[in-house]
């Protein structure tokens, strides 16, 4: 039976081109060496506890469980998905070779690979049903995604597949959290450009900044100003540009923010459509902080309880409790 897997393209979605150019999908944990040398998952976890002691025990356990699945459960003929944040689309491929460890292919930080025959056809995230979006919203690096198989297959070829559902998944809590993050992202997508500016302003207020959100009108390069004091004399001053759209922000837009008044202000660029590689390079060189949709959601979750009521009314969220 063909299994469907989601394999994320690196911590910062930096591996999409590497995947396509080399016909691979890759994951990290290079300090382990070749993980096939471990006789059991428990042995691998013990070694990871030494090499990655700075990470939380629960995080190490989850990551090693994912690596073990990558090595032992993915088979030739299985389907693999990965997501390009820049293009907001999923790439789809078929596994042609199971796990191998090789530091001469792809990125040195991601030495564990499977060979994948990537298809030319892509599927836009915006075309997917809410159910599939939520399934693929998990923050895990590797997870089973069998429930999206029919939808993806139909969009590409019009043919349905019969998939055996997953009966056991040790990572339920993390997948549940990931789906919640995906649903919040979809809620933000539905806001208009003025509402998203108010959300950014409310987020900065929660961080104890005094905030001025620009009124509706022509784009002057700065949408939100944040100060530590009420008059705006005390530094740091933060100037924020917000682009709420599906396309990526480019390097000219980053340069525009740098040149906007106040010139001495720190620059924050929020783009829910993500950033081009050139834009990220310019931002890093010039000290501009960037926030894409995924990073924005993480900050909103962290600061939501302290955000003003009028801001939370634009993005109503409910806290729920589940057993760990």
């Amino acid at each position: 039976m063909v299994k469907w897997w989601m394999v994320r393209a690196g911590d910062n979605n930096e591996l999409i081109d590497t995947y396509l150019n080399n016909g691979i999908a890759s994951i990290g944990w290079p300090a382990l060496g070749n993980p096939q040398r471990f006789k059991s998952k428990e042995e691998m976890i013990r070694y990871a506890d030494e090499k990655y002691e700075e990470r939380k025990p629960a995080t190490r356990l989850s990551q090693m469980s994912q690596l073990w699945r990558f090595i032992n459960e993915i088979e030739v003929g299985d389907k693999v998905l990965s997501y390009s944040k820049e293009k907001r689309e999923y790439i789809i491929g078929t596994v042609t070779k199971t796990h191998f460890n090789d530091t001469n292919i792809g990125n040195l930080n991601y030495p564990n690979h499977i060979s994948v025959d990537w298809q030319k056809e892509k599927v836009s995230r915006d075309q997917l049903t809410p159910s599939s979006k939520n399934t693929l919203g998990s923050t895990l690096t590797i997870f089973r995604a069998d429930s999206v198989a029919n939808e993806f297959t139909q969009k590409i070829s019009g043919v349905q597949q019969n998939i055996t559902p997953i009966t056991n998944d040790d990572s339920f809590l993390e997948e549940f959290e990931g789906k919640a993050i995906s649903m919040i992202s979809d809620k933000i997508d539905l806001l208009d450009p003025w509402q998203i500016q108010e959300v950014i302003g409310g987020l900065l207020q929660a961080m104890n900044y005094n905030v001025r959100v620009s009124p509706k009108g022509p784009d002057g390069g700065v949408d939100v100003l944040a100060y530590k004091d009420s008059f705006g004399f005390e530094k740091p001053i933060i100037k924020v540009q917000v682009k709420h759209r599906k396309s990526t922000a480019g390097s000219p837009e980053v340069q525009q923010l740098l040149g906007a008044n106040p010139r001495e202000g720190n620059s924050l660029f929020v783009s829910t459509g993500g950033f081009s590689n050139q834009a990220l390079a310019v931002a890093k060189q010039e000290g501009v902080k960037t926030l894409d949709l995924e990073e924005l959601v993480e900050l909103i979750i962290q600061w939501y309880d302290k955000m003003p009521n009028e801001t939370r009314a634009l993005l109503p969220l409910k806290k729920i409790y589940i057993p760990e």
Side-chain angles (χ1 to χ4, degrees):
M1 182 66 66
V2 173
K3 302 183 291 294
W4 283 63
W5 299 89
M6 177 69 183
V7 180
R8 300 224 170 268
D11 293 337
N12 300 301
N13 200 234
E14 71 272 29
L15 298 181
I16 286 292
D17 288 341
T18 300
Y19 283 9
L20 295 174
N21 293 336
N22 293 277
I24 56 175
S26 310
I27 59 175
W29 306 293
L32 298 179
N34 188 344
Q36 290 193 29
R37 64 195 177 90
F38 299 110
K39 297 178 181 179
S40 67
K41 182 169 71 172
E42 290 70 26
E43 181 184 353
M44 186 170 70
I45 291 171
R46 287 194 297 270
Y47 191 81
D49 287 342
E50 299 176 5
K51 292 296 183 178
Y52 295 102
E53 61 180 353
E54 75 281 1
R55 303 183 187 183
K56 296 179 180 179
T59 299
R60 291 196 299 266
L61 178 60
S62 172
Q63 291 175 341
M64 291 306 102
S65 295
Q66 292 172 68
L67 176 57
W68 191 257
R69 299 189 78 180
F70 188 80
I71 296 170
N72 295 287
E73 296 184 27
I74 296 180
E75 299 177 304
V76 171
D78 284 355
K79 295 293 185 180
V80 177
L81 303 173
S82 198
Y83 181 61
S84 170
K85 289 168 64 175
E86 181 177 354
K87 296 182 179 179
R88 291 174 66 92
E89 65 185 15
Y90 289 91
I91 60 175
I92 308 160
T94 304
V95 179
T96 59
K97 181 180 179 180
T98 56
H99 172 264
F100 60 100
N101 182 274
D102 191 339
T103 56
N104 295 316
I105 299 177
N107 189 309
L108 283 173
N109 293 318
Y110 303 89
N112 294 294
H113 317 284
I114 53 175
S115 294
V116 180
D117 180 17
W118 294 107
Q119 298 178 208
K120 293 182 179 179
E121 297 84 1
K122 315 292 193 300
V123 173
S124 169
R125 185 179 188 276
D126 299 320
Q127 296 176 351
L128 297 178
T129 61
S131 175
S132 290
K133 288 181 181 179
N134 293 340
T135 296
L136 296 172
S138 172
T139 55
L140 296 177
T141 301
I142 310 144
F143 59 91
R144 287 278 292 274
D146 295 339
S147 62
V148 308
N150 281 331
E151 183 171 355
F152 271 79
T153 304
Q154 281 184 303
K155 289 190 180 301
I156 293 174
S157 64
V159 178
Q160 285 192 351
Q161 286 190 354
N162 293 320
I163 301 295
T164 303
I166 306 169
T167 55
N168 293 306
D169 196 333
D170 296 334
S171 304
F172 166 75
L173 291 178
E174 291 173 12
E175 290 201 25
F176 187 89
E177 290 173 359
K179 290 175 183 179
I181 290 172
S182 179
M183 288 188 283
I184 296 171
S185 299
D186 290 337
K187 286 285 188 183
I188 292 175
D189 266 339
L190 295 175
L191 298 176
D192 65 36
W194 311 111
Q195 291 173 322
I196 196 68
Q197 288 181 196
E198 294 292 341
V199 169
I200 300 300
L203 176 61
L204 288 166
Q205 281 184 263
M207 297 175 178
N208 295 318
Y209 284 95
N210 293 283
V211 172
R212 188 175 75 206
V213 179
S214 298
K216 293 184 179 180
D219 188 349
V222 175
D223 297 312
V224 182
L225 283 173
Y227 313 89
K228 277 298 184 180
D229 67 305
S230 299
F231 293 103
F233 294 134
E234 183 182 346
K235 295 182 181 180
I237 298 171
I238 300 176
K239 54 182 179 180
V240 188
Q241 174 68 280
V242 182
K243 294 296 183 186
H244 185 44
R245 63 194 186 198
K246 302 202 182 294
S247 59
T248 58
S251 55
E253 293 170 309
V254 176
Q255 294 285 7
Q256 181 186 16
L257 176 59
L258 285 166
N261 288 319
R263 291 182 181 272
E264 73 278 8
N266 294 322
S267 298
L268 171 63
F269 203 122
V270 181
S271 172
T272 56
F275 298 87
S276 69
N277 291 333
Q278 294 87 347
L280 290 173
V282 171
K284 183 177 181 180
Q285 180 179 349
E286 300 293 342
V288 177
K289 174 65 178 177
T290 58
L291 278 183
D292 60 19
L293 180 57
E294 188 174 306
E295 294 165 327
L296 175 60
V297 170
E298 290 177 1
L299 285 176
I300 288 173
I301 293 172
Q302 180 181 349
W303 293 96
Y304 189 77
D305 289 343
K306 295 184 178 181
M307 291 169 69
N309 290 335
E310 57 268 27
T311 306
R312 288 190 288 177
L314 294 172
L315 189 65
L317 305 178
K318 181 185 292 185
K319 183 181 290 185
I320 63 173
Y321 297 92
I322 56 176
E324 292 186 354

